[in-house]
Amino acid sequence: VPSGAPVQTGIFTGGAAVIDLHVACGELAVSASGPRGWSVDASGWPDGAVDVQSGTASLSVQPENRTGNLFSDRGRARLGVTLPTATTLSLALTVDAGTLRADLRGADISSLSASLNAANGSIDLSDARIGHFSLSVNAADTDLTLPASATRGSASVNAASLKVCVPLGVGLRVTSSETLASTSFQGGFR
């Protein structure tokens, strides 16, 4: 797959895949659809400034290493990634100084690691099958929608906010430790 093409596609041939998506100074929109195929749409990213590497069980999308101004004209650039629902994904998402919109409804995820740094985002895991998630939210505002199925997860929130939506009837255990911060719970907690 040639890097720099505006839209790239591929198929994972095995039952599992490792995905690493990173965006700096832009928007990362991730969705889940279709059985085994994936696509990366960088047409909203100027000059093909992303590096896409793929294999039969892997996909990596990273900002190209370029010299010059970190805060270039790509501040509103959008990178769209569609991932399959019939492949078990080990998914890492990183957004620096940007926005994350991850609609992962219906995805099969063994592990999810998301890092938002000076970035805002939403992660929708409703109807997803997920083994474990780990969030790092730094100077960011993030919304997380959990699935109705059993999962385990952790979150580190630093100078940021994390709003968690839990489906009705789902048990939730929260352990919190703060320094110069606060924790509040709303809704049906007892």
Side-chain angles (χ1 to χ4, degrees):
V1 177
S3 185
V7 178
Q8 299 180 47
T9 61
I11 294 175
F12 297 126
T13 57
V18 176
I19 315 295
D20 184 14
L21 307 176
H22 183 190
V23 165
C25 300
E27 178 183 352
L28 174 59
V30 184
S31 62
S33 175
R36 300 224 179 270
W38 59 264
S39 69
V40 175
D41 183 352
S43 60
W45 209 264
D47 303 325
V50 294
D51 181 30
V52 178
Q53 301 294 321
S54 66
T56 59
S58 65
L59 176 64
S60 173
V61 181
Q62 305 288 325
E64 260 190 8
N65 290 327
R66 291 186 177 196
T67 57
N69 185 359
L70 172 65
F71 301 102
S72 65
D73 62 350
R74 54 188 165 143
R76 291 286 160 223
R78 182 180 185 277
L79 180 69
V81 179
T82 302
L83 299 172
T85 57
T87 301
T88 302
L89 307 174
S90 174
L91 181 58
L93 306 172
T94 303
V95 177
D96 300 317
T99 304
L100 170 65
R101 301 282 174 246
D103 181 356
L104 298 170
R105 291 177 287 178
D108 185 3
I109 303 169
S110 61
S111 66
L112 169 65
S113 170
S115 178
L116 289 90
N117 304 299
N120 295 324
S122 65
I123 301 170
D124 187 348
L125 298 172
S126 57
D127 298 325
R129 294 162 307 281
I130 180 163
H132 179 268
F133 67 87
S134 173
L135 303 179
S136 176
V137 182
N138 304 297
D141 292 321
T142 303
D143 296 334
L144 172 66
T145 302
L146 294 175
S149 59
T151 187
R152 290 185 170 269
S154 63
S156 172
V157 181
N158 301 295
S161 72
L162 175 63
K163 297 176 188 163
V164 180
C165 180
V166 180
L168 288 175
V170 171
L172 179 67
R173 181 183 317 174
V174 176
T175 303
S176 176
S177 173
E178 300 91 13
T179 303
L180 299 173
S182 68
T183 301
S184 63
F185 301 98
Q186 299 174 346
F189 285 97
R190 290 186 266 172

